[in-house]
Each structure stands twice: as C-alpha cells, then as structure tokens.
Amino acid sequence: MDKLSEKPLGVTNSILLYSIYPLLLFAPILFGFFMIRLDLNRLFIVGFISACTALIIIAFEYFRPEHKQWRPAWSAVKNDIVHLFTTSILPPTLFKSLFEVFFAGLAIVIAGQVGYGFWPHDWHLLLQMFLAIHLGDLGYYILHRALHTVPSIWPFHAVHHSPEELYVIASNRAHPIQIFFTFGAQMVILWTLGINQDALIMFSLFVAVNGQLQHCNINMRCGIFNWIFATPDLHRWHHSVEIPESNNNYGNNVILWDILLGTRFLPKEITINHNHIGLPSGTNFPESYWGHLMVPFDWENVRFDREK
C-alpha cells in the first residue's frame, strides 16, 4: 500500500484531483437528462453517452493515470472488448426479454389492488434516478455479497476480479451467468415498483457511467462522494488481492447499504498499491475469453483456498 504524498498539492492540482470524479459522473448524467427532454431515442442516449464517456476516460487514463503499471497488455484489452459485446450486453437483454413484462404487469396488478402505484412518477426525473440507484442497489448488494461469501457461486464472480490492472474497459469483464442474475437483482425491484421508462433510462445511464469510473485508472480522489456513491476510491479496495479487504464495498452505485450493514471500507489517506489488485496468489486463472467462461466449471483446476 502507498501512502498519499504529504507534500502540498497546490490549489490547482488539488482542485483537479477532487473535481475529476464529479465532473465525469454528473456531466454525462445531466447531458442524458437534457437529451431525454429533447425526446431523443432512449437506447441511443445510453449508448452514445456511455461510449463518449469511455473515450474521455481513456484519454484521462493516458495523461493522468493512478498507476502507470495499470496500463494493460493488448491481449487483456481484446478479451475485455469481447466481454463488452457479449457478457455486458447479451445477459441483460435476455433477462429483460424474459421477465420485464411479467414484473411490469405485476406492478400494475399490485397498484390496482392497493389503489395506488408505488413509484413517485411526479418527482423530478433526477430525484427518481437517485431513488432508483438506491433501491436497485439493495438487490444488487444482497446478491453481490453472496457471490463473495458463498463458495459455490464465488467462481462465477471470480472472473470479474481476475484483472490485475484496473482500467475502464476492465469494467466489462464478468461471467455472463453472473451478469444475468446481478442485473436481475436490481431490475426486479424497480420493475415491481412500477418505474417509468425515462427514470429507467436515467438509472441505466448512471450505472453505465459510474461503472466505468469505478474501474478507471485515473489519478483522482472522491472526497465527500465516498459517503454517497460507490466511487473508484472505494471500489479499488473491493478488487484487493486480500480477501478481508475485497469482501467490502459491495455497492454497485451507492454506498448506503455498505454503511448500514458495516461493509464500507476505505483506509484513511491510503491508496491501494498497483500490485495489490486481482485474485489471491494460488489462483491459476486462464487468460483467454473462452477460459473465462469455463472457470466456474473447471474450478478445481483454477481455485485457491479462499479463507475469510
């Protein structure tokens, strides 16, 4: 672990250090909000803003890296690009096609029975987004924590923890079966409460942008936002090679549930070392995309003795 420099940063550098995260998070969110107000295609909004944000993050990673050692080999980048188009897109699409109509219909039935709908459609759209990221994260937190603490399902999540460098495209590395269920854990709550499509688009946009920032290799600090959102400062410790450290900070978007349930972890004035990321030693993890998919089914040849 590396202690942050005690040398004064200077006003300009200090402002830059603490302003990058909110700027890169809130600017795309507000841009998406205004695009919705212009009644543009909703799927285009998420895809376009996510892609533009990723390109901006890549530029920051090049000129202002947290660790120069986190610049990945091209072989890893190629695998993670494949994960982007298969793992990150296909499982959510499949889950939506199978279950969205059912749970949206269930919301209508419940509203009819009790005489009112649960979702606050009259709230400002940004407030609806803020509510959605907290409610969706409750389901995500429960399943994510189980993925770390239940040995039989950990191998599916180990794929996401396999990178030894954090950078923006690594956010897409995950097993498709895990993504199918973690996506569903968030969406079932929101669909059942009757969330509207515009709030759902804002929720999806926040998930996409913050997910990219969580895994980015940018030298920045998140300050007060470490008590509100699941920030890069917090999420880097979630990728620690040390199990007692990585079994924390389960929130996908916000940190409320970690605070309430005692799993928020952020050492004071310490940033994680460049070689402190990945799976614990003793893991024989494959390098190919196909190997990533087969990890849960070949765990005896991959595993290490995971102790809490």
Side-chain angles (χ1 to χ4, degrees):
M1 294 179 289
D2 297 330
K3 289 189 176 181
L4 296 177
S5 174
E6 296 180 359
K7 182 180 179 180
L9 292 171
V11 175
T12 301
N13 286 335
S14 182
I15 291 174
L16 182 61
L17 185 72
Y18 285 93
S19 63
I20 292 175
Y21 175 73
L23 283 174
L24 291 182
L25 177 63
F26 296 137
I29 298 301
L30 291 175
F31 190 38
F33 170 76
F34 287 114
M35 291 178 78
I36 288 176
R37 287 290 181 257
L38 293 174
D39 201 27
L40 299 181
N41 180 276
R42 302 313 194 241
L43 292 179
F44 169 78
I45 292 173
V46 176
F48 175 75
I49 294 179
S50 298
C52 290
T53 303
L55 291 175
I56 294 170
I57 290 173
I58 289 171
F60 269 98
E61 288 182 327
Y62 183 80
F63 291 106
R64 189 183 172 87
E66 173 74 8
H67 294 297
K68 292 181 179 180
Q69 297 91 337
W70 280 356
R71 288 173 177 165
W74 175 238
S75 58
V77 174
K78 288 191 294 184
N79 282 337
D80 293 335
I81 291 174
V82 176
H83 276 290
L84 167 63
F85 289 102
T86 56
T87 301
S88 296
I89 296 175
L90 294 181
T93 302
L94 177 60
F95 193 94
K96 287 180 66 176
S97 65
L98 291 175
F99 298 112
E100 183 177 17
V101 172
F102 171 79
F103 285 103
L106 181 61
I108 295 173
V109 171
I110 294 173
Q113 291 294 319
V114 301
Y116 57 88
F118 291 103
W119 192 260
H121 298 281
D122 56 334
W123 285 15
H124 191 281
L125 187 55
L126 293 176
L127 287 178
Q128 292 185 53
M129 179 200 73
F130 195 70
L131 176 64
I133 60 178
H134 279 83
L135 294 176
D137 246 33
L138 175 58
Y140 184 93
Y141 178 96
I142 293 169
L143 183 52
H144 191 188
R145 188 166 181 172
L147 286 165
H148 276 257
T149 56
V150 178
S152 60
I153 58 176
W154 159 252
F156 290 97
H157 190 51
V159 175
H160 182 65
H161 283 261
S162 63
E164 296 181 351
E165 306 90 10
L166 289 181
Y167 64 104
V168 61
I169 304 177
S171 62
N172 301 291
R173 187 183 299 190
H175 199 281
I177 294 176
Q178 181 232 290
I179 292 296
F180 181 86
F181 287 104
T182 49
F183 174 81
Q186 300 174 89
M187 300 311 300
V188 166
I189 293 175
L190 300 178
W191 288 334
T192 305
L193 291 174
I195 189 172
N196 59 68
Q197 287 301 308
D198 284 350
L200 195 56
I201 290 299
M202 291 300 297
F203 168 80
S204 301
L205 184 57
F206 188 98
V207 172
V209 172
N210 194 57
Q212 292 174 338
L213 288 171
Q214 280 180 330
H215 299 85
C216 74
N217 180 21
I218 300 176
N219 178 229
M220 59 183 173
R221 297 293 173 264
C222 304
I224 189 63
F225 296 107
N226 287 321
W227 290 99
I228 305 170
F229 302 119
T231 64
D233 287 347
L234 293 161
H235 199 71
R236 287 166 182 165
W237 287 101
H238 180 70
H239 279 265
S240 168
V241 296
E242 300 291 339
I243 294 171
E245 295 172 349
S246 65
N247 282 2
N248 290 289
N249 301 338
Y250 296 113
N252 190 39
N253 302 300
V254 296
I255 205 64
L256 173 65
W257 306 113
D258 286 285
I259 293 172
L260 294 178
L261 296 170
T263 53
R264 182 186 182 274
F265 177 73
L266 183 62
K268 186 177 180 181
E269 297 183 345
I270 294 180
T271 183
I272 197 164
N273 198 291
H274 71 88
N275 60 1
H276 204 65
I277 295 293
L279 294 169
S281 60
T283 309
N284 183 28
F285 207 86
E287 296 183 1
S288 69
Y289 173 77
W290 178 250
H292 295 174
L293 297 188
M294 296 306 297
V295 158
F297 312 105
D298 189 35
W299 189 241
E300 288 303 315
N301 293 318
V302 176
R303 61 169 295 170
F304 56 91
D305 291 325
R306 184 175 177 82
E307 298 178 357
K308 298 179 183 178

